Amino acid sequence: ADEMERIWSQVSLLDGKIQSERPFELIKTDPAKAKAIILSLLESLNDIADSLTAFLPTTAQTIKDLIRDNRMPDQPLFVRK
């Protein structure tokens, strides 16, 4: 349970970084900085997928496949509460 709490904390931090740094808007004015932020986010997301492997192996692999293929999921992997 503690490990899952740590993972969700990482997810929340990543979400906060996306909301505060807004790379989806920054890409229009500073593409290089936006790409650096996105690369950092992807590295963190890959680390989260590694941590999820023990708990949700299929979802973890899906995340890694999406990163590798540079695409969005067809539907959300997790439903927001």
Side-chain angles (χ1 to χ4, degrees):
D2 289 338
E3 181 65 12
M4 282 303 294
E5 287 176 20
R6 187 186 67 75
I7 292 168
W8 283 116
S9 177
Q10 287 179 316
V11 170
S12 292
L13 287 172
L14 223 52
D15 186 50
K17 186 173 183 178
I18 291 168
Q19 298 309 316
S20 67
E21 298 192 13
R22 307 182 78 76
F24 47 89
E25 291 177 0
L26 189 60
I27 196 80
K28 299 170 191 166
T29 58
D30 191 344
K33 185 173 181 182
K35 288 177 184 178
I37 292 168
I38 292 167
L39 181 59
S40 172
L41 292 168
L42 287 172
E43 289 171 354
S44 296
L45 183 59
N46 192 64
D47 291 344
I48 289 169
D50 286 341
S51 298
L52 276 176
T53 300
F55 304 99
L56 300 167
T58 303
T59 301
Q61 188 58 52
T62 298
I63 293 168
K64 290 180 163 292
D65 292 345
L66 291 167
I67 292 170
R68 181 196 64 225
D69 297 344
N70 192 30
R71 65 184 181 87
M72 299 281 293
D74 296 330
Q75 55 189 339
L77 298 178
F78 304 98
V79 178
R80 285 182 183 242
K81 293 181 182 183

